[in-house]
Amino acid sequence: MSLENSRGRPFEESLSALMDNEADELEMRRLLKSAPQDEDLVQTWRRYNLVRSVLQHEEVLPVSSAATSRLLDAIAAEEAYVPDSEKTQKS
């Protein structure tokens, strides 16, 4: 089953866009929020990163799923960064 994000594209495409630095902020937030609850999304993220590392001849080291889960939980718990210029505009 392929879930879709707010732009109507599958999360797999959003992950690919994120890795290519083409995802917008909203898309990135939704991916990070969804990842801790979606094991398929996490596994896709791992595969994409593995492929990228192999293609770039990087050393590939295993990472425990527990460490990945803790990292995703920590990211999800973080407040979004809002630049001072945007804080001023909202006031």
Side-chain angles (χ1 to χ4, degrees):
M1 177 165 71
S2 178
L3 299 176
E4 294 184 352
N5 65 14
S6 63
R7 299 173 100 183
R9 66 176 167 184
F11 276 123
E12 292 83 3
E13 280 188 41
S14 295
L15 281 176
S16 181
L18 180 63
M19 293 189 70
D20 294 339
N21 203 27
E22 295 175 358
D24 60 30
E25 187 176 335
L26 179 61
E27 197 168 23
M28 184 175 66
R29 284 184 189 178
R30 292 201 177 183
L31 282 169
L32 292 173
K33 186 176 182 179
S34 299
Q37 295 87 25
D38 187 342
E39 186 59 30
D40 288 339
L41 185 62
V42 172
Q43 291 302 324
T44 301
W45 175 252
R46 287 184 182 136
R47 284 192 305 276
Y48 285 6
N49 276 286
L50 177 61
V51 169
R52 185 201 62 205
S53 294
V54 169
L55 290 173
Q56 294 180 357
H57 305 288
E58 296 174 349
E59 184 177 359
V60 178
L61 301 172
V63 176
S64 76
S65 60
T68 302
S69 294
R70 287 192 307 270
L71 177 62
L72 290 172
D73 290 343
I75 290 171
E78 285 287 320
E79 286 189 38
Y81 170 75
V82 179
D84 289 337
S85 59
E86 288 185 27
K87 289 178 188 175
T88 305
Q89 291 175 357
K90 291 180 181 180
S91 299

